[in-house]
């Protein structure tokens, strides 16, 4: 049985992620009894906060998340302590060890320690090695390290980070977060595929013509210009979230649902991505950057006028691409992906387009054929739609599209746990299935590095090339048109 009573140490406890996601998730787990009542949380950061100010911050985060906080708040907060910390000073780690020892005694915790890195990535490696050298990573219980993105900015830097981490923690002690893997409908991809005879039997190049994965955002870069301008959509979204969704769509059925089996199928799918040369990148990938535009009624500035963004920035805020998976199942089937900031709406969807029938009796020359579509709605609505053809009422010989909709969050929207809550729960249980294995990270960077090299070397871009509030640059439409396809509307 999983041994789940533990301490959680949050590095970066005064930061945004802790406040928006981690505290509310811990509270939910606590409320639902999914967190052992014997738990402790130590918030660690540079600022000189006290336990009181830290607890007040945690309480504020629950209020801000509009959570129903009940009479148990005081008890909940009593499990939280704060430690002002200098990540490069051994004394800080000794203080942390002492504090953890006290809390373990107070709450009857057998030494299980979860270290959550929710701060600037440049310190991940340093912290991990100090945790080991100063004995904070202890021998008594289990030790786990949760790592937030970005995991490097290219393959060499990711490798370096991984080596640093691996000197202190074993692969199965490292939990690399990709929060998309915590989303209900992303997890549902496997169930839809492997739990349904009607889909799995069609899931190949014999019946599928193309797959489209869209993750559009309506927000701009907000106050993250400094980070984002060095990252761009390719690193920020495609290398991780988009490729993870592709891997789940493309992988072979695992022999069982264990961490190792699922991950090894995903790794195989990522290994099958057709590599490109720098020269070929333009054939498969499109980049974009938003200019000024209107979002609803509101005029918004272009990317180059955002805070902390140079006015001649060549960073992409949009990327679309065509991925080919060169294996027996997928040969010839393009996987189109696109993601960007300041697009018409916030939406993540997967559209699986099936091939046309060999002969369509109901086709009229002047009417467009309607292929069958399976649409997986990831967010904001969660569900599945199936587009079929039915008889057009009152006519003969004419078909019309009909749509079967299943709305997941209409059924129990109140209970849909947040991605972070699920992932934290998994990590406490020691279940790494929905975290990315190092090999997945490495293969994703290997694929993406060619694209970023090509883009860095080719400075000839006509940015901005899409208006805020649109669905991206024309070139992204052309990418599909060349293959005789088009993007299916996301609304
Ligand atoms: C993060 C990116 O990983 O994912 C952000 O850094 C992006 O730039 C976010 O906005 C999108 O996540 P979600 O869950 O809102 O689709």
């Amino acid at each position: 049985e999983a041994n789940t009573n533990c301490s959680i140490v949050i590095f970066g406890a005064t930061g945004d992620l802790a406040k928006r996601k981690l505290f509310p998730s811990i509270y939910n787990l606590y409320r639902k009894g999914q967190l052992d009542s014997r738990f402790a949380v130590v918030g660690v950061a540079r600022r000189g906060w006290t336990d009181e100010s830290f607890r007040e911050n945690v309480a504020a985060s629950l209020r801000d998340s509009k959570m129903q906080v009940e009479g148990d708040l005081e008890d909940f907060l009593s499990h939280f302590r704060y430690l002002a910390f200098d990540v490069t000073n051994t004394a800080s780690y000794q203080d942390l060890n002492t504090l953890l020892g006290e809390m373990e005694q107070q709450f009857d915790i057998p030494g299980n320690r979860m270290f959550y890195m929710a701060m600037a990535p440049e310190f991940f490696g340093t912290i991990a090695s100090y945790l080991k050298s100063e004995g904070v990573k202890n021998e008594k219980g289990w030790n786990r390290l949760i790592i937030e993105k970005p995991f490097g900015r290219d393959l060499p830097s990711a490798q370096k980070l991984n080596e640093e981490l691996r000197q202190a923690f074993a692969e199965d002690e490292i939990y690399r977060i990709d929060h998309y893997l915590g989303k209900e409908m992303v997890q549902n991809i496997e169930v839809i595929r492997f739990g349904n005879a009607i889909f799995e039997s069609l899931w190949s190049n014999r019946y599928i013509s193309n797959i489209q994965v869209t993750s559009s955002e309506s927000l701009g870069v907000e106050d993250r210009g400094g980070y984002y301008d060095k990252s761009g959509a390719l690193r920020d979204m495609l290398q991780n979230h988009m490729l993870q969704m592709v891997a789940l769509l493309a992988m072979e059925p695992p022999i069982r649902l264990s961490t190792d089996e699922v991950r090894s199928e995903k790794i195989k799918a990522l290994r099958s991505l057709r590599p490109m040369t720098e020269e070929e990148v333009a054939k498969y990938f499109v980049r974009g950057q938003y200019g000024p535009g209107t979002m609803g009624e509101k005029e918004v500035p272009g990317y180059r006028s955002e805070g902390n963004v140079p006015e001649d920035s060549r960073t992409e805020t949009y990327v679309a691409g065509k991925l080919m998976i060169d294996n027996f199942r997928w040969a010839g089937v393009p996987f189109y992906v696109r993601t960007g900031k300041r697009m018409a709406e916030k939406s993540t969807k997967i559209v699986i387009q099936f091939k046309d029938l060999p002969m369509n009796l109901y086709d009229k020359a002047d009417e467009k054929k309607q292929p069958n579509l399976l649409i997986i709605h990831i967010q904001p609505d969660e569900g599945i739609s199936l587009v079929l053809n039915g008889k057009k009422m009152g006519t003969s010989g004419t078909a019309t599209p009909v749509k079967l909709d299943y709305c997941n969050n209409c059924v129990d929207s109140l209970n849909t746990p947040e991605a972070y809550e699920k992932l934290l729960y998994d990590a406490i249980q020691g279940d790494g299935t929905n975290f990315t294995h190092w090999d997945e990270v490495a293969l994703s960077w290997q694929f993406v590095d060619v694209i970023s090299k090509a883009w860095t070397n080719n400075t000839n871009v006509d940015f901005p090339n899409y208006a805020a509030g649109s669905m991206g640059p024309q070139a992204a439409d052309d990418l599909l048109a060349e293959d005789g396809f088009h993007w299916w509307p996301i609304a």
Side-chain angles (χ1 to χ4, degrees), residues 79-218:
H79 294 255
F80 284 68
R81 299 282 298 273
Y82 182 79
L83 188 66
F85 205 83
D86 172 357
V87 292
T88 56
N89 185 346
T90 53
S92 283
Y93 295 86
Q94 285 145 17
D95 292 347
L96 175 59
N97 210 7
T98 310
L99 179 57
L100 281 168
E102 279 173 30
M103 295 182 83
E104 283 166 355
Q105 212 163 22
Q106 181 186 352
F107 295 109
D108 187 23
I109 298 168
N112 297 326
R113 295 178 176 181
M114 172 86 77
F115 304 102
Y116 198 122
M117 307 272 182
M119 55 180 305
E122 57 263 37
F123 297 115
F124 291 169
T126 311
I127 296 173
S129 59
Y130 275 113
L131 287 175
K132 170 134 193 231
S133 67
E134 301 312 306
V136 190
K137 183 181 183 225
N138 70 5
E139 304 293 323
K140 281 189 289 172
W142 49 252
N143 295 276
R144 292 180 195 140
L145 185 68
I146 303 187
I147 299 279
E148 268 296 329
K149 61 166 285 210
F151 201 96
R153 54 171 286 109
D154 51 19
L155 183 56
S157 59
Q159 252 157 352
K160 179 162 171 289
L161 171 59
N162 198 51
E163 273 156 30
E164 286 169 352
L165 299 181
R166 286 298 305 277
Q167 305 216 335
F169 289 83
E171 174 65 28
D172 64 4
E173 291 177 321
I174 302 175
Y175 292 72
R176 297 176 195 82
I177 289 242
D178 185 313
H179 78 281
Y180 268 55
L181 296 180
K183 291 185 191 284
E184 188 64 29
M185 287 306 293
V186 173
Q187 297 188 351
N188 210 341
I189 293 174
E190 276 175 81
V191 185
I192 293 167
R193 285 192 54 192
F194 305 132
N196 292 295
I198 57 167
F199 296 134
E200 188 45 29
S201 58
L202 302 181
W203 212 262
S204 73
N205 51 11
R206 291 179 65 187
Y207 300 105
I208 290 177
S209 82
N210 73 92
I211 293 184
Q212 304 180 6
V213 186
T214 300
S215 191
S216 61
E217 295 190 80
S218 50

Side-chain angles (χ1 to χ4, degrees), residues 387-458:
V387 180
L388 309 169
N389 290 300
K391 180 175 172 296
K392 192 168 187 177
M393 271 207 284
T395 66
S396 60
T398 320
T400 188
V402 292
K403 200 165 162 210
L404 307 186
D405 277 321
Y406 168 67
C407 170
N408 209 47
N409 56 359
C410 302
V411 179
D412 60 356
S413 64
L414 293 176
N415 296 320
T416 306
E418 264 238 52
Y420 272 93
E421 186 186 323
K422 285 208 288 265
L423 293 175
L424 203 55
Y425 178 76
D426 284 357
I428 292 171
Q429 305 289 316
D431 181 353
T433 315
N434 289 314
F435 293 83
T436 43
H437 187 274
W438 162 246
D439 291 348
E440 298 172 62
V441 176
L443 287 162
S444 308
W445 278 125
Q446 187 182 312
F447 181 77
V448 157
D449 280 357
V450 182
I451 307 168
S452 45
K453 269 200 204 113
W455 287 354
T456 313
N457 294 339
N458 179 0

Side-chain angles (χ1 to χ4, degrees), residues 20-21 148-150 178-180 183 215-217 219-221 224 227-228 231-233 235-237 240-241 339-341 346-348 378-379 418-420:
R20 278 189 310 115
K21 304 285 185 190
E148 268 296 329
K149 61 166 285 210
D178 185 313
H179 78 281
Y180 268 55
K183 291 185 191 284
S215 191
S216 61
E217 295 190 80
L219 291 180
V221 290
R224 294 164 78 224
Y227 151 77
Y228 194 87
S231 167
R235 291 187 176 89
D236 187 52
M237 291 288 292
N240 41 24
H241 310 321
T339 181
K341 301 277 184 199
K346 168 89 181 163
S347 167
T348 304
I378 311 269
Q379 61 185 17
E418 264 238 52
Y420 272 93

Side-chain angles (χ1 to χ4, degrees), residues 248-434:
L248 289 169
L249 289 162
M251 72 182 189
E252 292 300 314
I255 55 172
R256 67 180 74 85
L257 290 176
S258 68
T259 305
D260 286 351
E261 297 303 341
V262 172
R263 282 171 161 188
S264 78
E265 293 307 337
K266 284 167 67 192
I267 291 166
K268 241 166 64 190
L270 292 169
R271 273 218 307 267
S272 336
L273 283 171
R274 180 184 298 176
M276 295 165 286
T277 62
E278 265 187 58
E279 292 68 42
E280 285 169 331
V281 166
K283 236 172 63 192
Y284 290 94
F285 275 83
V286 168
R287 55 180 155 167
Q289 188 193 73
Y290 63 85
T294 45
M295 304 288 308
E297 306 280 87
K298 218 173 104 212
E299 305 272 325
V300 297
Y303 176 69
R304 287 174 175 177
S305 318
E306 303 275 16
N308 291 321
V309 172
E311 55 191 34
D312 57 352
S313 169
R314 271 190 275 111
T315 299
E316 80 287 353
T317 61
Y318 175 102
V319 48
K322 164 173 157 177
L323 312 175
M324 299 305 290
I325 298 185
D326 289 332
N327 64 19
F328 216 88
R329 185 186 287 264
W330 293 116
V333 180
F335 282 65
Y336 301 109
V337 295
R338 60 177 167 163
T339 181
K341 301 277 184 199
R342 280 284 188 240
M343 291 171 66
E345 62 183 297
K346 168 89 181 163
S347 167
T348 304
K349 273 190 183 43
I350 297 166
V351 180
I352 292 114
Q353 178 176 343
F354 291 91
K355 287 190 170 167
D356 293 329
L357 290 164
M359 186 180 106
N360 193 334
L361 292 170
Y362 303 98
D363 234 21
K364 293 251 169 69
D366 57 341
E367 274 179 30
K368 267 223 199 126
K369 269 185 272 184
Q370 172 65 48
N372 292 138
L373 304 175
L374 170 66
I375 307 169
I376 303 176
H377 308 264
I378 311 269
Q379 61 185 17
D381 37 323
E382 301 179 348
I384 312 167
S385 312
L386 194 56
V387 180
L388 309 169
N389 290 300
K391 180 175 172 296
K392 192 168 187 177
M393 271 207 284
T395 66
S396 60
T398 320
T400 188
V402 292
K403 200 165 162 210
L404 307 186
D405 277 321
Y406 168 67
C407 170
N408 209 47
N409 56 359
C410 302
V411 179
D412 60 356
S413 64
L414 293 176
N415 296 320
T416 306
E418 264 238 52
Y420 272 93
E421 186 186 323
K422 285 208 288 265
L423 293 175
L424 203 55
Y425 178 76
D426 284 357
I428 292 171
Q429 305 289 316
D431 181 353
T433 315
N434 289 314

